Amino acid sequence: QVLLVESGGGLVQSGGSLRLSCAASGRVSSLHVMGWYRQAPGKQRELVATITTGGVTANADSVKGRFTISRPNAKNMVYLQMNSLKPEDTAVYYCNAEDDVRGMDYWGKGTLVTVSS
């Protein structure tokens, strides 16, 4: 079992920055891909960014050049640095981890990011 706990959300003005953190605990050795998703009110959950244990990243077009995902120890922590935030970035941000060995998909409970105009 894997537990994901997000932190770092909050209220920020348009143009500001926030850094989200996700800590994974439990069976973390086989978490090949970790990432961030978000869900705005009335919308479907969407991919924000992912990163593999090898450091390969993928980002949604809407956040390219503004958000950076990182995973310093390639195992149990993943971060999302969000710069130049826009009101349309307002959403609940969820941490996700994929266990390749067990074929399991884990989610955190989410952290709310609100960007005021």
Side-chain angles (χ1 to χ4, degrees):
Q1 189 71 7
V2 171
L3 178 65
L4 302 176
V5 179
E6 304 100 333
S7 61
L11 174 65
V12 64
Q13 288 188 333
S14 181
S17 298
L18 281 176
R19 188 191 194 210
L20 304 184
S21 300
C22 173
S25 59
R27 295 180 182 270
V28 299
S29 61
S30 54
L31 298 181
H32 178 55
V33 181
M34 294 185 71
W36 292 94
Y37 291 71
R38 67 185 181 186
Q39 187 167 17
K43 295 188 177 181
Q44 290 187 331
R45 191 173 297 190
E46 62 177 4
L47 169 72
V48 177
T50 60
I51 187 167
T52 69
T53 49
V56 177
T57 62
N59 298 275
D61 287 343
S62 59
V63 306
K64 284 181 180 177
R66 299 189 299 124
F67 292 9
T68 302
I69 189 169
S70 63
R71 192 174 176 186
N73 62 0
K75 287 187 177 178
N76 68 316
M77 292 294 299
V78 64
Y79 302 96
L80 186 68
Q81 178 66 43
M82 305 186 294
N83 299 327
S84 302
L85 282 160
K86 305 175 181 180
E88 52 263 45
D89 294 318
T90 295
V92 176
Y93 285 70
Y94 297 90
C95 182
N96 171 266
E98 299 176 13
D99 185 330
D100 286 357
V101 174
R102 299 171 182 81
M104 298 289 290
D105 206 21
Y106 300 98
W107 293 93
K109 292 184 177 181
T111 184
L112 177 62
V113 172
T114 304
V115 184
S116 63
S117 57

